[in-house]
Amino acid sequence: MAWDEWEQLKSRAADKQSTRLRLNSAADTAGGTGGADLVVHQDDLGAVGHEAFQLHARLHDQVDIAGAGADDHGAGTTMQAAAALKSHHFAMGAGLETTVSVWTSQVKAVLQAFAHISNHLDYSKKLHARDDETIAADLRGRDGSAVSASVLNSYFK
């Protein structure tokens, strides 16, 4: 393909597109800053991950009805009550066991979700920080200064 043919193809493609290529940004529809330079706030990721970690810890400590007041066999007071009710032929004993089983299952699911969110955001924060360092090291001008995203964007016009 000849150079002038390449330029014609680029020109036709540019005419068909209504928006330019944007580096890590979108059209400013919500009245935001709309700056052209790439900005990532790693603290936001860390803060949400930390909140998820704290919620996980609080839930783990405060909602364990199956293990609360455990006896020598590991049965909590709620399960002990269920066993006592069943031994006296109360149908409520089986219902209470089912309630504890379902509750425990649901709590474990929520705990896993919080752990996943916390771990994922901590990982994302570290990964993006490394990516930012790599990109900053690779994108240097001739004089050694960093090249901003707005300058990079001008190459794609």
Side-chain angles (χ1 to χ4, degrees), residues 50-119:
H50 182 68
E51 288 293 323
F53 176 77
Q54 287 183 325
L55 280 170
H56 178 275
R58 285 196 345 242
L59 276 175
H60 185 269
D61 294 342
Q62 296 176 2
V63 299
D64 182 19
I65 63 170
D71 62 9
D72 295 339
H73 304 299
T77 53
T78 307
M79 288 304 279
Q80 293 171 32
L85 288 167
K86 281 177 69 172
S87 71
H88 289 90
H89 307 290
F90 284 98
M92 187 176 171
L96 191 53
E97 278 183 350
T98 301
T99 301
V100 171
S101 175
V102 170
W103 175 262
T104 301
S105 172
Q106 295 297 316
V107 166
K108 285 180 180 178
V110 171
L111 288 172
Q112 288 174 352
F114 281 129
H116 180 72
I117 290 166
S118 175
N119 292 340

Side-chain angles (χ1 to χ4, degrees), residues 13-22 26-27 153 156:
D15 290 342
K16 289 180 183 178
Q17 285 185 312
S18 62
T19 59
R20 300 182 337 229
L21 174 67
R22 297 174 194 258
N153 194 35
F156 296 107

